[in-house]
Amino acid sequence: MVKQTIQIFARVKPPVRKHQQGIYSIDEDEKLIPSLEIILPRDLADGFVNNKRESYKFKFQRIFDQDANQETIFENIAKPVAGSVLEGYNGTIFAYGQTGSGKTFTITGGAERYSDRGIIPRTLTYIFEQLQKDSSKMYTMHISYLEIYNECGYDLLDPRHEASSLEDLPKVTILEDPDQNIHLKNLTLHQATTEEEALNLLFLGDTNRMIAETPMNQASTRSHCIFTIHLSSKEPGSATVRHAKLHLVDLAGSERVAKTGVGGHLLTEAKYINLSLHYLEQVIIALSEKHRSHIPYRNSMMTSVLRDSLGGNCMTTMIATLSLEKRNLDESISTCRFAQRVALIKNEAVLNEEIDPRLMIKRLQKEIQELKDELAMVTGEQRTEALTEAELLQLEKLVTSFLEDQDPESRLEVGADMRKVHHCFHHLKKLLNDKKIFGNNTVSNTVSSESKDQDCQEPLKEEEYRKLRDILKQRDNEINILVNMLKKEKKKAQEALHLAGMDRREFRHSQSPPFPLGSPEGQRMRLSSAPSQAQDFSILGNRSSLLHKKTGMREEMSLGRQEAFEIFKRDHADSVTIDDNKQILKQRFSEAKALGESINEARSKIGHLKEEITQRHIQQVALGISGNMAVPLMPDQQEEKLRSQLEEEKRRYKTMFTRLKALKVEIEHLQLLMDKAKVKLQKEFEVWWAEEATNLQVNSPAVNSLDHTKPFLQTSDSQHEQSQLFSNKSSGGWEVQGQGTGRFDVCDVNARKILPSPCPSPHSQKQSSTSTPLEDSIPKRPMSSIPLTGDSQTDSDILAFIKARQSILQKQYLQLLCSLSPKSAVSFAQPSTNRKGLSDVLVAR
Ligand code: ADP
Ligand code: MG
C-alpha cells in the first residue's frame, strides 16, 4: 500500500500579451518547497488606489513557469503516475483552472504542432513503449472516454455519436454494487492493442466532443472529460490479474459567478458557474477536515466517478493551470487556494490484484490431473495392452510440438502411462538419429536454426515494413497531387487579385470567367476542385476510418455550398495550420521513405552476411571432413569479422526501425490533427452558413420582379454574379473557383436561400448585416431570391407563377437576340457564359 497526499503542481500559461511582469514570482529555493507568490498591483487591491502592496503565497510540489514545454510537464508530472499504473496502482491526473488557462493544452495538447501533444498522447506512447520492453507479463489495454455535462454522462466513443447530438445519446449512469464500488453503465470500453489504435480513440472522442458542442451548451468549457486507460496485466501461467486505471481529467472551467474583487474575503464565497465543481469543492473540504465521517461523493456524477481518486485507492495528481494576467488574478488566487486544500487529502493506493476464477479453475484441473497421474504411478497400476496407431501418432505429434515450443518451461504431458512414456523416448531417439544421419552436419543446422531464430521476428517486421512502404508510396503520390493543387491555387489567387483590381463593368463585359463552364479547362477545374479537395482530406481518412466518417459531411453538400466552403476554408486562420502540417507531413514522409530504403539496404546486407557465414561454416566442415582434421577449435578470424559486421548491421537496422516506427506515430498524429482541424472548419462553416441563411432571410428585400427572374434564368448566372460579388468585394485573393453547376432548380430553394454571403470570414456576419459603402456601390442583387411562406400550397403557386414569368421573359430575350444577332441567339442556347451579357442587356433594359 502506498500512502500519499495528492500531489499538486502549478503551470503558468504564457500570457497572450507579453510585458506582464511583476504580477507573480516563483521561489524555488525556500526549504526545497517551491512557492508561487501572486502580487497584487496597487491599483487593484480593494478596487481603490492605495499604497498597500498585497501578495499571496502558495506552495506547490513544483511550479512550471511559462517556458515549460509539454515534454517537461510529461516527464515530471505524468511519467511517474504512468509508472505506478504499470505496476498496478490506480492513477489520476486532473487539470484545474479557469477557462483559457491551459487545461486542455496540458491534458490533450495543442491542435497545431506535434510537439504540443499533451499528457494523454505522451502517456500512451510511454505505456506502449514499456509494454513492449516487458515481456514477462501479458498486458491488455482498454480505453474509455467520458464527458460529463450538466450532471449527465455521455460516452464520447459511442458509435452512435455521429447521428445524434449529445443529448440524444444514451446517458452513462452510475451503478453502485453492495461493496460500494462504482460501475458505469453505457460507457463502452475499447481495446487498444497499439499506440495508433489508442490515439485514434482519443481523436475520435475529441472530434465527437467538438461536433456535439453548440454555442448554447459550450461543452468544452462547461463539461468534464475523463479519458481512462484501463490496464490489466498477468504473468503467464498465473491466475492473478492486476487491474489499474489511469484517469486523465480535463475539468470544466473553474471560473466563479461573482467577480468579487481581489483581496476581499468575499472571494472564497463566490460560487462556481459549474455546479459539479462546487460539489467537488465540498468533497475536497470534507476530505481535508479531519473528523468528517461523511464525504458527499454522491452529490454529483463527477465526484462519484472520481471517488477513488479523491481520498481513496489512487495516486492522484492535480495540475493547477494559471493564466496570470492582471484581469485573471482573482481566479488564479482561487485556483491556488483550491490546490492548497487538495494537497491535504491523503490517498491510499493498493495493488489491485485479483484472482481470475477461470484461470484458477484451469490451474486446479491441471493439478488434479497431475496428482492422479502420480498416484497411478505410485500404486503401480500399469496397463499392458498395446497402444493403437492413432494413440502413437498422437504421441508423436505431442513430441514434435514439444520440441518446437519456444517456451523453455513447456512440458511434454503424456500422463502416468509407462507405455506412452516409453514410446515418447523411443520417438525422440529416432528423431535425434535421423537428424544425425540426414542433417549431414549439425553445424550448418545450428546456423540455419539460429538464423531461423533471428528471422522468427522478421516476417512480422517484414510485413509491417512492406505495409509502411506501401503507405509511404501512396502518401507520396497524394502529396504530389496536393502540391500540384496548391500551385494551381496560388496561380489562380494571383490572377484573381489582378482581376479584382480591374473596373467592375469592364470585367463583366470583357472577361469571361477564368475557365468557362463549357470549356475543357472549366471541366477540368471543376473536376479538380471539388473531388480533389475532398481527396485533400480523404487521404487522411483512409487510415483512420473512425475519423473519416466524421469528415464525410462534405459529400452531402451541394456544389454551390462546396464552393462557398472552399472560399471559407481558404480564408480561415486554420488553413495556415493545415498547410503547415501538410508541409511537415511531407518532410516526414520523405524522411520515412529514405529510412525505408536504408532499412531495405540493411536488410539485404544482413541477409548477405548470414549467407557468407553459413558458407564459411560449410567450407570449414567440408575441409575438416576431407582432411580428416578436427574442426579447428580456435574461432575463425574471418568469421569473427563477419559476425561483428552482422551485429553492427543488426544494430543499425534496429535503430532505423525504431525511428521509422516513431515517424509512423508522428505521421499518424499529424494526420489526426489535420482531420480534427478539418472537422472544426466544417463545423464553423456550418454555423456561419446557418447564420448567413438567417441573415439573408431577414434582410431579403421584397419581391422584385426583375430580380426574381435571375435565379431561374440559369443558376450559373446567379452564381457567376455571386462570384463577381466575391471578386469585387476587394477581399484580396477571393475568387470563386469552378463556375456554376447548372444544377440548381426550382426545388433547390434552400440552397438559394443560403447562398454564401460575400463576406469570407466567419465573423463577418456583422458586416453583412450592416451595409458598407462598398456594398452600396454594388447594385442590389437577389440575395435570397424567392421568399417562401412555408405553406406548400402557397409556395407552389408562387413557384409556378415565377416559372411561367421566366419562360415568357426567356422568349422575349430570344426574340430580342434574334433581332440583334442570330449568332448570339445560338450561343445563348448553349449553357455558356454569354448569358452574362444577356442578363446585362436585360438589366439595361
Ligand atoms: P482551457 O482548456 O483551460 O480552457 P486551453 O488549453 O484551451 O484552455 O488553452 C487556451 C489557449 O491557450 C489555447 O489556444 C492553447 O493553445 C493556449 N495555451 C494554453 N497553455 C499554453 C502553454 N503552456 N503554452 C502555449 N500555449 C498555451
Ligand atoms: Mg479546455
Side-chain angles (χ1 to χ4, degrees):
M1 187 194 291
V2 182
K3 285 191 182 186
Q4 200 185 44
T5 51
I6 296 185
Q7 311 279 298
I8 56 163
F9 295 91
R11 183 182 199 184
V12 181
K13 187 196 131 174
V16 182
R17 277 169 273 112
K18 299 270 173 220
H19 58 73
Q20 291 276 349
Q21 280 152 8
I23 283 181
Y24 73 98
S25 69
I26 295 171
D27 188 353
E28 299 255 35
D29 297 328
E30 204 180 281
K31 285 186 218 144
L32 294 175
I33 302 179
S35 69
L36 171 77
E37 186 175 13
I38 300 181
I39 302 145
L40 292 187
R42 283 177 188 174
D43 58 332
L44 255 184
D46 292 342
F48 299 104
V49 178
N50 65 23
N51 293 325
K52 220 167 50 185
R53 194 183 116 111
E54 279 195 62
S55 76
Y56 294 81
K57 235 178 188 179
F58 303 100
K59 292 197 188 321
F60 287 93
Q61 231 88 36
R62 253 191 93 168
I63 299 154
F64 297 93
D65 208 352
Q66 301 170 19
D67 49 2
N69 60 20
Q70 299 282 65
E71 174 74 18
T72 314
I73 297 289
F74 170 75
E75 286 292 325
N76 289 283
I77 302 179
K79 202 168 166 181
V81 182
S84 30
V85 170
L86 282 163
E87 283 171 31
Y89 294 97
N90 289 338
T92 297
I93 300 174
F94 69 93
Y96 181 98
Q98 70 182 108
T99 298
S101 57
K103 295 182 296 298
T104 307
F105 186 84
T106 303
I107 298 290
T108 310
E112 291 170 18
R113 287 185 300 268
Y114 180 63
S115 57
D116 278 350
R117 66 201 190 285
I119 287 178
I120 301 180
R122 283 173 196 270
T123 304
L124 289 172
T125 308
Y126 177 71
I127 290 182
F128 276 106
E129 254 171 37
Q130 299 306 308
L131 298 195
Q132 228 167 25
K133 278 187 204 158
D134 181 8
S135 52
S136 70
K137 290 200 193 89
M138 289 143 71
Y139 289 92
T140 355
M141 185 194 278
H142 285 86
I143 304 277
S144 66
Y145 205 175
L146 170 72
E147 173 165 21
I148 302 175
Y149 173 68
N150 252 348
E151 277 309 299
C152 292
Y154 302 99
D155 181 2
L156 285 176
L157 302 179
D158 189 305
R160 284 158 293 187
H161 231 298
E162 277 171 70
S164 337
S165 70
L166 207 61
E167 281 77 7
D168 297 336
L169 283 174
K171 307 242 182 320
V172 175
T173 47
I174 293 180
L175 302 175
E176 204 174 312
D177 66 17
D179 297 332
Q180 297 198 326
N181 292 317
I182 298 287
H183 302 275
L184 294 169
K185 199 179 147 202
N186 284 336
L187 182 69
T188 50
L189 291 188
H190 298 254
Q191 184 163 7
T193 49
T194 60
E195 189 182 342
E196 285 87 346
E197 277 175 21
L199 207 61
N200 265 321
L201 289 167
L202 166 68
F203 277 81
L204 176 69
D206 283 344
T207 311
N208 278 334
R209 189 183 184 198
M210 196 159 69
I211 287 173
E213 187 179 26
T214 65
M216 290 301 286
N217 70 23
Q218 285 191 341
S220 64
T221 63
R222 299 205 177 165
S223 67
H224 315 286
C225 277
I226 307 179
F227 183 89
T228 309
I229 301 171
H230 309 249
L231 199 64
S232 320
S233 62
K234 171 179 113 56
E235 278 168 24
S238 157
T240 313
V241 187
R242 283 185 184 176
H243 299 284
K245 272 188 268 184
L246 174 58
H247 293 305
L248 300 167
V249 189
D250 185 356
L251 288 178
S254 66
E255 48 273 10
R256 311 199 174 213
V257 179
K259 288 248 171 191
T260 51
V262 230
H265 65 277
L266 265 180
L267 186 67
T268 47
E269 287 158 24
K271 291 283 177 296
Y272 285 101
I273 289 178
N274 195 297
L275 195 63
S276 57
L277 282 177
H278 166 73
Y279 289 124
L280 173 66
E281 189 169 45
Q282 301 280 302
V283 167
I284 305 271
I285 291 173
L287 283 167
S288 56
E289 287 172 2
K290 272 196 180 139
H291 306 293
R292 288 277 287 267
S293 57
H294 173 68
I295 311 291
Y297 290 113
R298 285 212 188 97
N299 280 350
S300 92
M301 178 158 196
M302 194 246 297
T303 47
S304 303
V305 175
L306 295 181
R307 186 178 180 144
D308 262 345
S309 317
L310 307 163
N313 168 22
C314 190
M315 291 176 148
T316 304
T317 296
M318 167 184 168
I319 308 173
T321 54
L322 301 165
S323 171
L324 282 168
E325 291 176 38
K326 216 166 162 184
R327 64 197 153 87
N328 293 330
L329 285 187
D330 48 356
E331 292 293 357
S332 305
I333 291 171
S334 68
T335 298
C336 291
R337 282 188 180 162
F338 181 85
Q340 307 300 297
R341 275 227 174 87
V342 168
L344 300 175
I345 299 173
K346 286 198 184 81
N347 280 358
E348 289 180 4
V350 290
L351 270 184
N352 303 297
E353 278 186 336
E354 65 176 33
I355 309 263
D356 186 331
R358 280 168 309 170
L359 292 175
M360 199 63 192
I361 291 170
K362 243 188 193 168
R363 223 173 71 178
L364 290 175
Q365 276 173 341
K366 207 171 145 200
E367 207 174 303
I368 289 172
Q369 188 55 46
E370 277 173 9
L371 288 171
K372 271 187 184 167
D373 290 347
E374 246 174 75
L375 196 68
M377 275 221 212
V378 174
T379 51
E381 229 180 78
Q382 293 294 327
R383 294 166 200 108
T384 46
E385 71 274 25
L387 293 167
T388 63
E389 271 304 304
E391 278 174 321
L392 293 176
L393 214 66
Q394 178 65 22
L395 281 173
E396 283 163 21
K397 267 190 197 160
L398 271 177
V399 171
T400 317
S401 57
F402 169 67
L403 289 175
E404 280 171 357
D405 194 340
Q406 301 288 327
D407 185 355
E409 289 185 7
S410 70
R411 291 165 64 171
L412 179 56
E413 313 260 9
V414 290
D417 187 336
M418 288 318 285
R419 295 168 305 164
K420 290 184 180 173
V421 174
H422 285 314
H423 184 75
C424 285
F425 277 124
H426 181 74
H427 187 63
L428 267 171
K429 187 174 174 183
K430 185 169 169 282
L431 285 179
L432 209 69
N433 284 339
D434 285 354
K435 207 173 178 187
K436 266 193 196 148
I437 296 159
F438 298 112
N440 208 352
N441 55 68
T442 42
V443 184
S444 81
N445 268 348
T446 14
V447 172
S448 65
S449 73
E450 184 192 324
S451 57
K452 202 170 144 199
D453 264 7
Q454 283 157 356
D455 280 340
C456 69
Q457 294 181 344
E458 280 171 13
L460 243 182
K461 284 184 181 173
E462 169 91 326
E463 198 183 302
E464 196 172 346
Y465 164 74
R466 208 178 306 127
K467 244 197 253 163
L468 271 174
R469 206 172 46 183
D470 287 348
I471 295 173
L472 282 180
K473 212 164 146 194
Q474 200 185 340
R475 296 285 181 273
D476 218 35
N477 285 339
E478 286 161 354
I479 286 170
N480 282 337
I481 297 171
L482 285 172
V483 170
N484 281 338
M485 266 177 55
L486 285 174
K487 274 187 197 155
K488 266 190 201 162
E489 291 289 300
K490 207 171 152 191
K491 205 171 142 210
K492 277 181 62 200
Q494 279 164 355
E495 278 173 16
L497 256 176
H498 175 67
L499 290 178
M502 293 175 74
D503 172 60
R504 183 165 182 265
R505 238 192 123 61
E506 186 191 332
F507 176 78
R508 290 186 71 181
H509 288 280
S510 64
Q511 298 281 320
S512 52
F515 298 110
L517 188 66
S519 77
E521 271 293 47
Q523 292 292 356
R524 219 177 318 134
M525 263 324 282
R526 278 181 44 214
L527 280 176
S528 70
S529 68
S532 64
Q533 288 291 346
Q535 190 185 35
D536 196 338
F537 287 99
S538 69
I539 57 159
L540 317 169
N542 289 343
R543 148 207 47 80
S544 64
S545 56
L546 290 169
L547 275 174
H548 183 47
K549 286 186 232 149
K550 303 277 160 199
T551 55
M553 283 149 90
R554 194 61 207 290
E555 282 125 43
E556 295 153 22
M557 284 191 197
S558 70
L559 281 175
R561 203 153 140 166
Q562 277 182 31
E563 283 177 11
F565 179 62
E566 293 313 323
I567 293 161
F568 181 87
K569 192 169 87 181
R570 217 177 302 168
D571 198 53
H572 198 285
D574 284 359
S575 65
V576 180
T577 313
I578 295 175
D579 288 349
D580 284 353
N581 275 341
K582 265 185 211 158
Q583 284 304 321
I584 300 172
L585 258 181
K586 206 183 150 199
Q587 284 167 7
R588 297 292 179 271
F589 280 137
S590 46
E591 193 188 335
K593 199 178 152 197
L595 218 78
E597 277 160 13
S598 312
I599 287 179
N600 220 2
E601 274 169 26
R603 273 186 63 77
S604 64
K605 225 169 176 180
I606 290 173
H608 284 137
L609 284 167
K610 275 182 184 168
E611 181 65 21
E612 262 185 76
I613 293 174
T614 314
Q615 286 300 331
R616 203 151 171 89
H617 266 293
I618 294 173
Q619 275 173 11
Q620 294 279 319
V621 173
L623 257 174
I625 292 172
S626 65
N628 222 353
M629 293 186 312
V631 179
L633 286 172
M634 282 287 285
D636 172 15
Q637 287 222 329
Q638 177 69 15
E639 190 188 322
E640 287 285 289
K641 209 173 133 197
L642 285 173
R643 279 199 182 279
S644 72
Q645 272 179 16
L646 182 67
E647 287 312 307
E648 176 57 31
E649 260 332 296
K650 276 188 185 168
R651 259 196 301 278
R652 230 168 63 85
Y653 177 87
K654 213 172 157 193
T655 321
M656 289 191 294
F657 195 80
T658 317
R659 171 73 192 134
L660 189 63
K661 256 178 121 172
L663 263 179
K664 200 180 148 202
V665 173
E666 183 174 349
I667 286 171
E668 179 85 4
H669 192 103
L670 283 170
Q671 286 174 327
L672 287 169
L673 281 179
M674 282 169 70
D675 277 358
K676 223 164 110 179
K678 158 84 173 166
V679 175
K680 183 166 161 259
L681 205 72
Q682 274 184 332
K683 204 170 136 34
E684 284 177 14
F685 171 73
E686 296 299 326
V687 172
W688 170 76
W689 182 262
E691 277 171 2
E692 286 303 306
T694 333
N695 282 346
L696 288 180
Q697 272 174 339
V698 172
N699 296 342
S700 165
V703 183
N704 168 314
S705 62
L706 255 182
D707 277 349
H708 277 134
T709 62
K710 290 284 176 76
F712 288 94
L713 266 176
Q714 176 46 257
T715 322
S716 64
D717 272 27
S718 74
Q719 288 212 328
H720 185 76
E721 282 161 18
Q722 287 284 345
S723 77
Q724 293 204 341
L725 276 176
F726 282 126
S727 347
N728 284 287
K729 285 279 289 190
S730 64
S731 44
W734 285 89
E735 43 113 26
V736 169
Q737 59 169 347
Q739 291 306 305
T741 62
R743 268 221 222 143
F744 282 16
D745 57 28
V746 180
C747 307
D748 201 355
V749 172
N750 277 336
R752 262 181 279 110
K753 265 191 196 164
I754 44 179
L755 276 175
S757 110
C759 312
S761 105
H763 311 293
S764 63
Q765 87 252 38
K766 284 184 215 95
Q767 288 176 35
S768 62
S769 55
T770 56
S771 112
T772 62
L774 191 67
E775 269 175 328
D776 290 339
S777 71
I778 301 167
K780 281 271 180 284
R781 294 271 139 211
M783 298 281 266
S784 66
S785 60
I786 316 155
L788 295 178
T789 61
D791 175 75
S792 58
Q793 185 59 46
T794 321
D795 289 350
S796 66
D797 285 345
I798 294 175
L799 294 175
F801 163 68
I802 291 172
K803 213 171 173 183
R805 191 182 56 187
Q806 182 214 340
S807 67
I808 293 171
L809 284 168
Q810 257 179 346
K811 272 185 203 153
Q812 283 181 354
Y813 306 147
L814 275 173
Q815 283 167 1
L816 170 74
L817 278 169
C818 288
S819 66
L820 288 172
S821 132
K823 212 174 157 197
S824 24
V826 172
S827 63
F828 175 67
Q830 294 162 352
S832 89
T833 49
N834 285 356
R835 276 190 213 139
K836 176 86 354 246
L838 272 176
S839 36
D840 284 339
V841 173
L842 186 71
V843 173
R845 287 185 85 204

